Amino acid sequence: MKSTGLLVDCGAPPTGDSHTDCHKVIMPVRDALDVISGKWKLPIIIAVSRGHNRFRDIERSIPKITSKVLSKELKDLETHKLIRRTVYNTQPVQVEYTLTPYAATLESVIVALQQWGLQHRKKILGK
Amino acid sequence: MKSTGLLVDCGAPPTGDSHTDCHKVIMPVRDALDVISGKWKLPIIIAVSRGHNRFRDIERSIPKITSKVLSKELKDLETHKLIRRTVYNTQPVQVEYTLTPYAATLESVIVALQQWGLQHRKKILGK
DNA sequence: GTAACCAGTTTCCAAAAGGTAAGTGCTTTA
DNA sequence: TAAAGCACTTACCTTTTGGAAACTGGTTAC
C-alpha cells in the first residue's frame, strides 16, 4: 500500500446520504493505515519504545526481520516523523533510534491491536 | 536513552528480559495485523457495518475499490469469520454481506485508527 | 591477526498485492 | 429490444513487499 502523498486520496466523497457517514470513518482509517500498516512498522515502534535503540538491537528484538527491511522501514518511519535517528560522533560512530513524541500518540492504536490480537489468538487456538 | 512514554503494559517488569517483554506486545499486534492489515479490509468492515450489505452497494461506498479486489477481500474476511455471506434464493439470487458478532470486537481498533487518522490529517494539513 | 561486532547496502529473486479491462449469465426496466 | 443492473470472474500486467546472501568499511576483543 503505497500512496504518493502523506494523505490518502480517497476520491470524491459521495454527496449526501448514508455514504457520508461511512466515508467519515473510512477516510481517517485509511489515512492511519497508510502510515502504519504493513508487517513491520508497529513492531519496530514497539521495539524502540521498549528500549531497543540500536540497529542490531532492534533487529534482534523482532523475530525474522532482516537488516534490509529494517533499514528501509526505519527510513519510512523517519519521514513520517515517528522515529528520530541520531548519530553520535564517537569512535566508532554510534547510531541511536528513538521515538518522537508524536509516536506516543499511537499508543491507543497499539493497545487496541494488542488486545484484539490476544483474544484472537485465544479464539483461534481452541480456547 | 529516554522513553517517550509509549510503554504498553503487558504485565512484565521493565527490568526483566527486555526481549521477552517486547515480544509480548509484538506478537499479538502481529496476529492482529495478519487479519486486518492491508488497504481494504477495515474499509469493507466499516462499509458493511454502516448498512452497505449488497456487493454493488459496498463497492460504491468505498472509493476506488474494484470488484475484483472486493470479491477477494470479502472471501478473506469470510474465512476469518468477520463477515457472513448469505444467499437468498429469490429470483434472481440476492446476496447479503453482514458482520458477524465477532467483527464487532474490532470496534475499538477502528475507533483508535479513526481518531489517530483524524488528528494525523489535521497535523499534516494544518501546520 | 583473525574473528566478531557495528550499521548498514547491494544484488538477485519470488511472492503478494493491486490495477485495468473485459466478459458471464441472469433479470429487470424503459 | 436495448440498456442497465446484479454478482461476480478471468486474463494480464505492474508495483510493492520482502527473503537470502553476500559484502563494505570501519572497530574492538581475544
Side-chain angles (χ1 to χ4, degrees):
Chain A
M1 182 204 306
K2 193 72 182 192
S3 79
T4 46
L6 283 163
L7 293 171
V8 177
D9 173 21
C10 288
T15 49
D17 67 72
S18 59
H19 285 296
T20 306
D21 181 42
C22 185
H23 207 261
K24 277 183 185 163
V25 186
I26 289 177
M27 271 184 50
V29 168
R30 289 207 43 195
D31 284 340
L33 287 176
D34 210 40
V35 177
I36 58 143
S37 95
K39 196 170 174 178
W40 303 112
K41 286 187 184 66
L42 287 180
I44 290 168
I45 286 172
I46 294 163
V48 174
S49 81
R50 303 300 279 189
H52 302 283
N53 302 102
R54 308 281 299 274
F55 191 89
R56 292 286 175 210
D57 192 15
I58 300 166
E59 195 176 353
R60 275 189 298 263
S61 72
I62 302 172
K64 309 241 172 125
I65 200 169
T66 63
S67 48
K68 179 194 143 183
V69 168
L70 178 56
S71 173
K72 183 231 164 204
E73 298 286 285
L74 283 169
K75 280 172 191 160
D76 286 359
L77 290 167
E78 228 191 311
T79 72
H80 282 295
K81 311 269 185 235
L82 292 169
I83 274 188
R84 181 171 35 243
R85 182 179 184 267
T86 315
V87 182
Y88 298 99
N89 59 346
T90 47
Q91 287 299 328
V93 194
Q94 194 173 313
V95 181
E96 196 181 76
Y97 295 93
T98 47
L99 295 190
T100 62
Y102 189 47
T105 63
L106 280 169
E107 177 159 10
S108 57
V109 170
I110 289 170
V111 167
L113 283 168
Q114 182 197 3
Q115 287 178 356
W116 194 85
L118 274 171
Q119 67 80 40
H120 183 64
R121 174 169 286 257
K122 270 183 205 149
K123 187 191 159 116
I124 296 298
L125 305 177
K127 71 180 90 163
Chain B
M1 225 151 277
K2 65 208 162 196
S3 162
T4 55
L6 182 69
L7 289 174
V8 180
D9 187 12
C10 56
T15 47
D17 175 2
S18 59
H19 281 179
T20 307
D21 201 28
C22 189
H23 287 189
K24 281 183 183 166
V25 186
I26 289 178
M27 293 313 193
V29 168
R30 289 207 43 194
D31 285 341
L33 287 177
D34 272 355
V35 178
I36 58 144
S37 93
K39 195 170 175 177
W40 303 112
K41 286 188 184 67
L42 286 180
I44 290 167
I45 287 172
I46 293 163
V48 174
S49 80
R50 293 302 194 277
H52 302 283
N53 302 104
R54 307 282 300 275
F55 191 90
R56 289 287 172 211
D57 191 15
I58 300 166
E59 194 177 354
R60 275 188 297 264
S61 72
I62 302 172
K64 305 222 174 147
I65 200 168
T66 64
S67 47
K68 179 196 144 182
V69 167
L70 177 57
S71 174
K72 184 231 162 204
E73 298 287 285
L74 283 169
K75 279 172 191 160
D76 287 0
L77 291 168
E78 226 191 314
T79 72
H80 279 118
K81 310 270 187 236
L82 293 169
I83 273 188
R84 180 170 37 244
R85 181 180 185 265
T86 315
V87 182
Y88 297 99
N89 59 346
T90 48
Q91 287 299 327
V93 270
Q94 194 173 312
V95 181
E96 195 181 75
Y97 295 93
T98 47
L99 294 191
T100 62
Y102 189 47
T105 64
L106 280 170
E107 181 71 20
S108 57
V109 170
I110 290 170
V111 168
L113 283 169
Q114 182 195 3
Q115 287 177 358
W116 194 85
L118 274 171
Q119 68 80 39
H120 183 65
R121 176 170 285 257
K122 270 183 206 147
K123 185 189 160 124
I124 297 298
L125 296 180
K127 262 262 185 87

